[in-house]
């Protein structure tokens, strides 16, 4: 099974390797690593440690995420 990689609009490939990735918004991408979702920059730097059961894209300064069965 192949893991997704993030290919940027300019054709470069991000170093981010994950089980799954979400939609990029405002330069931030949700990514699933070791079964949990976190948020990363387009260069692969961790912004928010993977800790969520689900994670949506950032809309402005916020994103919807699920932790311990609850959304917030």
């Amino acid at each position: 099974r192949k893991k997704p990689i993030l290919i940027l609009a300019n054709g470069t490939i991000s170093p981010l390797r994950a089980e799954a990735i979400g939609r990029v918004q405002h330069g931030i991408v949700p990514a699933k690593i070791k079964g949990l979702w976190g948020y990363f920059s387009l260069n692969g730097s961790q912004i928010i440690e993977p800790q969520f059961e689900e994670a949506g894209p950032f809309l402005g300064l916020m994103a919807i995420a699920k932790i311990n069965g609850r959304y917030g």
Side-chain angles (χ1 to χ4, degrees):
R1 182 176 143 181
K2 293 183 179 180
K3 291 186 176 186
I5 60 171
L6 186 61
I7 301 174
L8 307 179
N10 65 5
T12 61
I13 299 174
S14 169
L16 178 62
R17 301 275 190 250
E19 298 160 34
I21 56 174
R23 191 175 80 199
V24 177
Q25 284 290 109
H26 307 291
I28 301 171
V29 60
K32 187 176 185 180
I33 298 176
K34 296 183 181 178
L36 294 174
W37 289 85
Y39 292 91
F40 296 81
S41 69
L42 293 179
N43 68 10
S45 298
Q46 180 177 284
I47 295 172
I48 300 175
E49 179 180 345
Q51 60 187 298
F52 306 106
E53 298 157 29
E54 296 179 24
F58 265 80
L59 302 172
L61 299 175
M62 300 171 62
I64 294 176
K66 181 179 178 184
I67 189 167
N68 297 324
R70 300 183 74 160
Y71 288 94

